[in-house]
Amino acid sequence: MTFVFYTIVSTFASVSSVIVLIPQLYLCISKNNTDGLSSYFLLFQSISALSWLLYAVLLKEIPMLFSESIYSMSSLTLLTLKLYHMYKKKYIENK
């Protein structure tokens, strides 16, 4: 009973972590704008996501591994978009 409960809770937590980033990711890609996002927030979020992914690998828990992989990819995509837009804006201003 306890194992089933932990599995349900961890799966719910992992899925909700993934779902929370989807609207932000969609908005940034569709509007091609990341001005409202803090680069430090995205950096620390990406570090956190990668840490959770490593933890899932160490536990060998498949549902958590799957969702944390998606969470890490989403976080890193947002960070990459932010850095791309920052350097693009800096490059245009220096011309």
Side-chain angles (χ1 to χ4, degrees):
M1 177 70 174
T2 305
F3 177 73
V4 173
F5 178 72
Y6 288 156
T7 303
I8 291 170
V9 170
S10 69
T11 302
F12 177 76
S14 298
V15 169
S16 64
S17 295
V18 171
I19 290 172
V20 77
L21 285 180
I22 291 174
Q24 188 64 56
L25 191 58
Y26 174 77
L27 189 67
C28 288
I29 291 172
S30 65
K31 300 242 185 219
N32 199 21
N33 187 353
T34 57
D35 288 341
L37 297 174
S38 165
S39 54
Y40 292 115
F41 167 75
L42 294 174
L43 175 67
F44 290 121
Q45 180 182 10
S46 296
I47 291 169
S48 172
L50 291 171
S51 298
W52 277 111
L53 180 61
L54 177 62
Y55 181 66
V57 168
L58 294 174
L59 286 181
K60 298 177 185 167
E61 191 171 322
I62 301 301
M64 187 177 181
L65 182 63
F66 179 72
S67 62
E68 294 305 326
S69 297
I70 296 171
Y71 181 56
S72 296
M73 287 188 295
S74 299
S75 295
L76 290 171
T77 301
L78 282 172
L79 179 62
T80 303
L81 285 171
K82 177 65 176 181
L83 294 174
Y84 172 75
H85 288 125
M86 281 174 45
Y87 289 114
K88 184 178 172 184
K89 185 184 282 188
K90 194 177 215 179
Y91 178 74
I92 291 172
E93 288 175 357
N94 288 336
K95 273 193 157 189

